[in-house]
Amino acid sequence: MAILETTNLTKKFGKFTALNGVNIEVNKGEVYGFIGPNGAGKSTTIRVLLGMLKATEGEATIFGKDVWADAVAIHKRIAYVPGDVNLWPNLTGGEVIDLFMKMNGNVNEQRRDELIEKFNFDPTKKCRTYSKGNRQKVALIAAFASESDLYILDEPTSGLDPLMESVFQECVMDAKREGKSVLLSSHILSEVEKLCDKVAIIRQGEIIETGTLSELRHLTRTNLTVKTKEPMPDLNEIKGIHNVEENDGELKFQVDTEELDEVIRYISQFGILKLESAPPTLEDLFMRHYQGAGHADSGGAL
Amino acid sequence: MYERYFKGTGTLIKLLLRQQRFKIFAWLGGLVIVTLAVASAYPSIYKDEQSKQAFALTMDNPAMVAMLGPLHEIENYIHSIGAVFAHEMLLFTAVAVGIMSILLAGRSTRADEEEGLTEMIHALSVGRLSYLSAAMIVLFLTNVLLAVLTGFGLAVLGIEEMGLEGSLLYGVILGSTGFVFSSFTVLFAQVAETSRGATMLSFAVLILAYLVRAIGDVSNETLSLISPLGWTVRTEVFVENDWWPILLKIAAAIIITILAFYLNTIRDLGSGFIASKGGKKHASAFLKTPFGLSWRLGGTNIIAWAIGVFALGASFGAILGDLETYYAEMDVMQAFIAEDAGSSMTEQFIGLLMAIMALISVIPAVMTVLKLKGEENRNRTENLYSRAVSRGKVLGSYYILAVIVTIVMQALVAIGLWSAGLAVMDEALEFGTIFTSALVYLPAMWVVVGIAVLLVGTLPKATGFVWFYVVYLFIVLYLNGILEFPQWMVSLSVFEHVPTIPTEEMDWATMIILTVIAMIIAVIGFIGYNKRDLEG
Ligand SMILES: Nc1ncnc2c1ncn2[C@@H]1O[C@H](COP(=O)(O)OP(=O)(O)O)[C@@H](O)[C@H]1O
Ligand SMILES: [Mg+2]
């Protein structure tokens, strides 16, 4: 059974449709990447899931319970980290961590102290003095110190340095190993590629792609760099080849993954001297979607 | 030099004006309209010399002097309706102008800084002092506009005994008072650690200025001269039209402003002069409850207010002794007031005082409820609601805290008044009576608290409107006698339904009805809060 499931989730703010028929499904033990540019609707989806916003249409359940009606019961078993952590300026980081853990209902002090150590965090300072990254650590420590079954993380690393980012990634891996589920919203693609089993791409309130990473790679193009004995004529005419560039007698182009077989057959006729292929990255996938839609406005967010 | 410190000030003035224009407009509109409406009603209220003389006699006692300021020669009142008007209106209007200036100044200095706006702007090509200069200029312009509108407005009314010079002076007194309190706030914005701290310190100075003036006016004139509000009531406006207190105020404001500018150049953005020290590593058991958290966030404010309210109660209690002696000596006066049979002047005074104190006490309670909306605006309620905490529990803890605040504040008023009265009066006040006269306002105060809950629950964008209602209560209380509002307008004020103890009988039915109304309003607010979207 799905841990988290939304069906046709729609949210309108007045006339503006922020979410339009969003379907996502996170299963047990799964790390689910939720990616999209700024303003795509990631945080709105998450706020609906947290019972802070009421869906205009559609259904959303966590642990099989309705996210709006059973919010308090659900929240006992989930941990949430926002991208922009806002804390009370006159409380210390340590006080806030304790407060958060108490509100979640389960307290694991040993785990908390380990994480404080791991994240190299000073809990005795007033929150007013913390940088964005340090405020994020407060939320991350409280989240990973709790015994939750589902972690909802909304761009949780936007303020962390690379070292802390890898500590964060370890925490996610640990959670996954313990059979917990994670919904990770992000626009840092390398992070998603490293951690996630499944990915959903959201854009202007609509999910435009979902699937495992390998499934999605089907939809992308492989980058090839080729040098042949004889020149290859009319490369542009061949089905599945795009963006041909010539450089020092080398040709660079992209190939639709499903046409790869045909293309290799074709070029091997000309005597291959050099062949390099680069796997498609999520970045390519992303860019292709934005170019496809032809809107520079939303692509600019990345 | 100019580049380094003041570049971009002009642009920032426009920015601040755009941000604050609605508030400025509402404040100026309200102040000018009330002033002009009251002034135009005066000639018909005080038609003849006798009524003016009666007014002067009613005012001529220590309690009223403490409340409204020192009295001129009785002669002056008989010959100038302007003097009557100024005596009744000037001080309270000046206090309102002070409040306006403190709120506006607190907003565009420290609060903007706290929200990171100032930092963003400092990163652009603007001078070190540009933001502060722009804020100060906007405040100055606002107060100049107030002075001009009020001054010429009064002159245009063409009331015979209110000449052009007096009218202009009246406007300038208000404006310069605003200027002084703006400068205090800007100064505290440099010193305090938070924007709340800056605003609270400024309000403390305002209250202190009022108290020092009250005590000084009753017992020692020199004492009054150290209070800016003491200067406010010393121009003999519409009689002698002395301008020296104005010069004093402007000079003081300029000196304080310069000091603020100096401090601003030597402090770090985002911090005050009191460096924050290391704190606790773990949360106490009390803090871990939602109630503990709401106390931790608003407690200092409440304690400060409690001290202020107690001090006000005690100050008026201290005057009761003088009042008693005064009436004992003035048989004539006794006869004069005897038309209101059965109640002494002291009792009437207590009744009026309690109504005003109840209004002051309801302010921290309303602030407590609105604090929750403030938390939401700062995206801090998501810290609670993303965890296993229900909305009802959170709003409930703010609501209960607000109700406790009303009870504690009114109790402190009663204790302050009674204990100070005990020390100075021959015939001490009965504690029970004083206590009842304070607590009798509780159900009405709960209605106001309920309205705040209702707005937070159902109209979160309009929570500020509860302040309009508080101001409305004050206007009806203070001006009904003068302007004679239609009955429905008076009835809209919950405070008008409360029996004034000790001059009136206790009315349990009204108490119960008000309590029930308060609860119904609050319940609707709770239902709305459970149903609506939370912004953050
Ligand atoms: N309370 C709100 N009222 C109106 N519009 C909103 C509100 N919250 C979010 N939006 C809009 O919904 C869209 C999605 O926002 P969000 O979910 O925050 O995007 P993301 O988290 O993917 O960057 C944005 O265009 C944003 O402006
Ligand atoms: Mg977001």
Side-chain angles (χ1 to χ4, degrees):
Chain A
M1 192 193 72
I3 296 281
L4 183 161
E5 190 172 15
T6 71
T7 5
N8 194 29
L9 195 65
T10 301
K11 176 68 193 175
K12 291 185 179 153
F13 294 111
K15 280 198 183 112
F16 176 72
T17 308
L19 297 179
N20 190 4
V22 167
N23 296 309
I24 51 179
E25 186 181 325
V26 182
N27 293 308
K28 188 165 159 45
E30 216 168 58
V31 181
Y32 194 96
F34 193 36
I35 59 179
N38 289 334
K42 302 182 293 293
S43 301
T44 305
T45 308
I46 286 174
R47 291 199 162 173
V48 172
L49 290 171
L50 290 171
M52 294 182 62
L53 300 180
K54 189 166 193 175
T56 316
E57 268 172 57
E59 254 183 70
T61 59
I62 294 179
F63 310 130
K65 294 179 184 138
D66 183 76
V67 291
W68 176 264
D70 299 323
V72 176
I74 292 171
H75 294 178
K76 286 189 180 133
R77 294 169 58 200
I78 71 172
Y80 164 65
V81 178
D84 200 359
V85 181
N86 295 286
L87 302 174
W88 300 280
N90 54 343
L91 267 63
T92 66
E95 284 178 320
V96 173
I97 292 173
D98 284 359
L99 197 60
F100 283 0
M101 289 174 63
K102 171 76 196 323
M103 286 191 283
N104 256 2
N106 47 38
V107 180
N108 185 338
E109 288 180 359
Q110 191 199 336
R111 185 81 171 267
R112 174 195 66 196
D113 295 341
E114 278 169 23
L115 283 163
I116 287 179
E117 187 88 355
K118 246 181 156 176
F119 276 105
N120 191 15
F121 178 73
D122 177 0
T124 61
K125 294 244 169 66
K126 297 263 170 163
C127 291
R128 165 180 317 121
T129 65
Y130 288 138
S131 66
K132 177 169 161 62
N134 274 328
R135 292 201 304 272
Q136 239 155 2
K137 286 181 191 176
V138 170
L140 285 167
I141 291 167
F144 287 110
S146 71
E147 314 268 313
S148 300
D149 294 318
L150 171 67
Y151 294 84
I152 296 183
L153 313 172
D154 189 358
E155 305 192 13
T157 57
S158 45
L160 296 184
D161 60 43
L163 201 67
M164 290 304 134
E165 219 176 296
S166 73
V167 174
F168 162 76
Q169 288 171 0
E170 271 169 45
C171 289
V172 174
M173 295 302 214
D174 286 346
K176 186 180 147 106
R177 227 168 285 133
E178 287 165 30
K180 303 185 165 170
S181 313
V182 179
L183 175 66
L184 172 64
S185 128
S186 180
H187 60 227
I188 303 171
L189 300 163
S190 59
E191 183 176 277
V192 175
E193 280 192 292
K194 221 176 277 175
L195 297 173
C196 298
D197 307 303
K198 268 195 202 160
V199 175
I201 300 178
I202 185 169
R203 184 163 173 272
Q204 294 180 353
E206 291 182 39
I207 302 279
I208 48 179
E209 294 290 353
T210 47
T212 62
L213 275 179
S214 47
E215 274 167 7
L216 289 188
R217 284 194 177 120
H218 267 289
L219 301 168
T220 62
R221 298 165 181 167
T222 305
N223 299 305
L224 289 186
T225 311
V226 186
K227 200 168 181 179
T228 49
K229 278 185 201 143
E230 295 159 41
M232 286 187 287
D234 304 330
L235 209 53
N236 273 322
E237 313 285 285
I238 311 278
K239 189 169 165 231
I241 290 188
H242 310 268
N243 302 339
V244 183
E245 280 173 41
E246 193 171 347
N247 199 350
D248 266 347
E250 282 185 7
L251 288 165
K252 277 188 174 180
F253 50 85
Q254 299 177 331
V255 183
D256 286 338
T257 308
E258 57 269 30
E259 300 292 334
L260 204 54
D261 188 40
E262 280 299 313
V263 170
I264 299 288
R265 245 176 253 252
Y266 174 78
I267 57 176
S268 62
Q269 302 168 32
F270 302 93
I272 298 175
L273 291 174
K274 174 183 173 188
L275 174 66
E276 281 173 18
S277 85
T281 61
L282 215 42
E283 205 109 34
D284 296 327
L285 177 69
F286 229 70
M287 286 311 175
R288 198 176 139 200
H289 270 292
Y290 299 143
Q291 280 158 9
H295 289 304
D297 56 354
S298 46
L302 270 167
Chain B
M1 162 80 187
Y2 174 83
E3 282 273 305
R4 195 160 141 221
Y5 287 111
F6 300 108
K7 187 167 176 244
T9 306
T11 322
L12 288 175
I13 291 175
K14 276 185 223 144
L15 178 78
L16 288 177
L17 276 178
R18 175 135 16 113
Q19 270 180 345
Q20 304 257 45
R21 64 186 165 194
F22 176 72
K23 278 187 207 158
I24 293 175
F25 181 77
W27 272 105
L28 290 189
L31 286 166
V32 173
I33 288 168
V34 168
T35 301
L36 297 188
V38 172
S40 54
Y42 262 69
S44 55
I45 302 168
Y46 298 103
K47 283 194 208 64
D48 46 26
E49 295 199 349
Q50 262 158 335
S51 59
K52 284 182 232 172
Q53 183 162 21
F55 168 82
L57 284 173
T58 335
M59 291 296 148
D60 188 16
N61 66 70
M64 292 321 282
V65 168
M67 217 178 228
L68 296 177
L71 216 66
H72 312 287
E73 301 291 308
I74 306 263
E75 279 294 289
N76 292 337
Y77 293 97
I78 296 170
H79 296 302
S80 168
I81 192 124
V84 175
F85 167 73
H87 191 84
E88 210 161 6
M89 293 296 294
L90 180 59
L91 185 58
F92 270 80
T93 316
V95 168
V97 174
I99 295 173
M100 167 188 84
S101 298
I102 290 172
L103 291 177
L104 290 177
R107 176 71 242 170
S108 51
T109 54
R110 206 54 197 266
D112 277 356
E113 188 172 322
E114 231 162 60
E115 283 164 24
L117 216 70
T118 319
E119 189 177 359
M120 234 157 62
I121 287 182
H122 272 277
L124 305 174
S125 162
V126 299
R128 186 83 176 84
L129 291 172
S130 300
Y131 207 88
L132 190 59
S133 315
M136 207 58 219
I137 290 171
V138 168
L139 288 161
F140 182 71
L141 290 179
T142 305
N143 280 305
V144 168
L145 196 61
L146 174 71
V148 170
L149 289 177
T150 313
F152 284 103
L154 285 175
V156 167
L157 287 181
I159 296 163
E160 206 176 319
E161 292 157 7
M162 291 167 76
L164 179 65
E165 189 187 354
S167 299
L168 289 182
L169 178 59
Y170 189 91
V172 173
I173 298 170
L174 294 181
S176 57
T177 307
F179 192 36
V180 169
F181 285 101
S182 307
S183 65
F184 270 117
T185 314
V186 169
L187 176 70
F188 291 135
Q190 314 307 318
V191 181
E193 214 184 343
T194 60
S195 74
R196 276 174 89 67
T199 318
M200 291 314 296
L201 273 174
S202 312
F203 277 122
V205 167
L206 181 66
I207 293 173
L208 197 69
Y210 185 84
L211 287 180
V212 167
R213 181 216 50 81
I215 297 167
D217 285 353
V218 173
S219 57
N220 180 348
E221 167 121 20
T222 331
L223 190 62
S224 286
L225 288 178
I226 62 169
S227 160
L229 290 177
W231 308 336
T232 295
V233 290
R234 278 195 166 57
T235 54
E236 305 219 4
V237 60
F238 295 116
V239 183
E240 296 290 332
N241 290 334
D242 288 335
W243 288 78
W244 62 265
I246 305 290
L247 296 179
L248 217 53
K249 277 198 267 189
I250 292 176
I254 289 175
I255 292 170
I256 298 168
T257 308
I258 290 173
L259 187 60
F261 273 65
Y262 172 68
L263 292 180
N264 186 264
T265 58
I266 59 171
R267 86 182 166 95
D268 294 333
L269 205 59
S271 62
F273 275 97
I274 316 138
S276 38
K277 36 196 184 309
K280 287 193 191 134
K281 202 169 167 187
H282 294 297
S284 64
F286 177 62
L287 177 61
K288 288 190 211 165
T289 61
F291 187 80
L293 183 63
S294 51
W295 170 256
R296 177 74 178 267
L297 298 177
T300 337
N301 185 8
I302 292 169
I303 291 173
W305 211 277
I307 294 171
V309 157
F310 180 79
L312 273 176
S315 312
F316 283 109
I319 291 154
L320 291 177
D322 288 339
L323 197 64
E324 195 185 35
T325 332
Y326 184 83
Y327 288 133
E329 286 165 6
M330 290 270 298
D331 292 339
V332 199
M333 258 312 265
Q334 286 292 18
F336 180 68
I337 304 164
E339 44 184 276
D340 203 333
S343 58
S344 77
M345 193 67 186
T346 311
E347 285 176 338
Q348 283 190 26
F349 172 69
I350 290 172
L352 173 66
L353 182 67
M354 284 305 177
I356 294 177
M357 291 311 297
L359 258 172
I360 295 174
S361 297
V362 85
I363 292 172
V366 169
M367 289 200 307
T368 302
V369 174
L370 294 193
K371 175 88 185 147
L372 179 57
K373 181 66 176 88
E375 287 288 298
E376 186 178 342
N377 292 345
R378 291 181 174 80
N379 286 322
R380 292 199 290 239
T381 50
E382 75 172 3
N383 290 333
L384 312 179
Y385 296 128
S386 64
R387 300 189 165 78
V389 180
S390 72
R391 298 179 180 202
K393 199 165 168 185
V394 174
L395 181 56
S397 62
Y398 279 88
Y399 180 63
I400 290 171
L401 186 58
V403 169
I404 294 175
V405 166
T406 58
I407 297 170
V408 170
M409 294 292 160
Q410 285 302 86
L412 284 175
V413 169
I415 295 170
L417 186 70
W418 176 79
S419 54
L422 190 66
V424 296
M425 290 175 85
D426 296 335
E427 215 178 302
L429 299 164
E430 203 181 312
F431 183 69
T433 315
I434 298 293
F435 213 64
T436 320
S437 70
L439 295 192
V440 76
Y441 279 94
L442 285 178
M445 294 163 78
W446 295 337
V447 172
V448 182
V449 171
I451 292 172
V453 172
L454 181 73
L455 289 170
V456 169
T458 58
L459 279 174
K461 292 216 166 67
T463 43
F465 276 95
V466 66
W467 295 124
F468 282 111
Y469 189 64
V470 172
V471 170
Y472 181 80
L473 293 179
F474 186 77
I475 289 177
V476 171
L477 176 69
Y478 197 69
L479 298 180
N480 189 31
I482 300 166
L483 294 183
E484 295 190 6
F485 296 122
Q487 188 53 41
W488 64 267
M489 264 185 84
V490 177
S491 304
L492 268 183
S493 159
V494 269
F495 276 38
E496 297 300 316
H497 301 281
V498 176
T500 26
I501 312 284
T503 47
E504 287 170 29
E505 287 290 306
M506 185 63 187
D507 175 3
W508 285 105
T510 310
M511 295 290 100
I512 292 167
I513 291 170
L514 285 177
T515 309
V516 170
I517 291 175
M519 283 167 73
I520 291 174
I521 297 175
V523 166
I524 298 173
F526 270 83
I527 294 173
Y529 191 68
N530 269 308
K531 278 191 185 160
R532 76 171 170 90
D533 281 354
L534 293 167
E535 299 289 336

